[in-house]
């Protein structure tokens, strides 16, 4: 997960949200009120729901954000976070601890985590493939004596 999380306050404008996304190199921002997640605004919201409709950059994010966002607790297992992300077809999830925003987990974060786990598993499998071969050779030499 990314910490500290980039976010914007509820009263931020679309222009401020776009700038914050650009500065943080992210495609979604939690919208916070008193450190609690009130919503999420995405780069797609800015383009499709704002710019394409001719909305002013001074409109508040509150007008376009997704409300009642799905969040995950900081101790949520990776498979559960992946499932949550998949069920809502999102690429970012705010991470909370007792309701307070502590991070954001992205599809890319989860992809890299799973990939590293698969690399480690492949190393274990490759190592275990060598063990029977070594045992077989030792056993064969002993039997030949």
């Amino acid at each position: 997960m990314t910490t500290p999380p980039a976010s914007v306050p509820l009263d931020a404008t679309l222009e401020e949200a776009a700038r914050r996304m650009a500065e943080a190199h992210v495609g979604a921002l939690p919208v916070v009120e008193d450190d609690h997640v009130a919503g999420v605004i995405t780069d797609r919201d800015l383009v499709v729901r704002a710019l394409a409709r001719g909305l002013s950059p001074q409109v508040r994010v509150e007008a376009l954000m997704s409300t009642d966002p799905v969040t995950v607790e900081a101790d949520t297992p990776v498979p559960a976070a992946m499932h949550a992300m998949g069920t809502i077809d999102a690429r970012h999830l705010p991470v909370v601890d007792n309701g307070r925003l502590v991070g954001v987990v992205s599809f890319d974060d989860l992809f890299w985590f799973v990939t590293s786990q698969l690399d480690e598993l492949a190393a274990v499998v490759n190592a275990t493939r060598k063990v029977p071969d070594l045992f077989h050779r030792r056993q064969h030499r002993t039997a030949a004596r």
Side-chain angles (χ1 to χ4, degrees):
M1 100 177 140
T2 302
T3 59
S7 64
V8 290
L10 196 57
D11 62 352
T13 65
L14 298 178
E15 182 178 15
E16 291 167 335
R19 281 197 182 116
R20 184 72 183 114
M21 281 183 201
E23 291 166 359
H25 306 286
V26 297
L29 292 171
V31 179
V32 295
E33 182 176 37
D34 299 324
D35 293 331
H36 290 80
V37 181
V40 173
I41 186 108
T42 67
D43 51 4
R44 183 166 173 80
D45 292 332
L46 295 175
V47 173
V48 175
R49 296 174 64 202
L51 186 62
R53 293 182 182 168
L55 293 181
S56 165
Q58 299 310 308
V59 169
R60 289 173 44 153
V61 294
E62 184 178 22
L64 286 181
M65 70 182 190
S66 299
T67 58
D68 196 26
V70 172
T71 62
V72 291
E73 288 290 327
D75 61 354
T76 300
V78 169
M82 291 174 71
H83 178 72
M85 199 175 280
T87 59
I88 61 170
D89 196 26
R91 295 186 53 85
H92 304 86
L93 287 176
V95 179
V96 297
D97 186 12
N98 294 319
R100 299 181 92 71
L101 180 66
V102 295
V104 173
V105 66
S106 70
F107 175 83
D108 291 348
D109 294 331
L110 297 176
F111 176 80
W112 288 113
F113 176 79
V114 169
T115 300
S116 70
Q117 295 296 301
L118 290 174
D119 283 345
E120 289 178 26
L121 179 60
V124 169
V125 169
N126 285 335
T128 59
R129 285 183 177 159
K130 295 175 185 176
V131 170
D133 188 43
L134 293 173
F135 178 72
H136 178 67
R137 286 184 196 158
R138 180 184 295 170
Q139 192 176 35
H140 184 352
R141 275 190 241 139
T142 305
R145 291 182 184 179

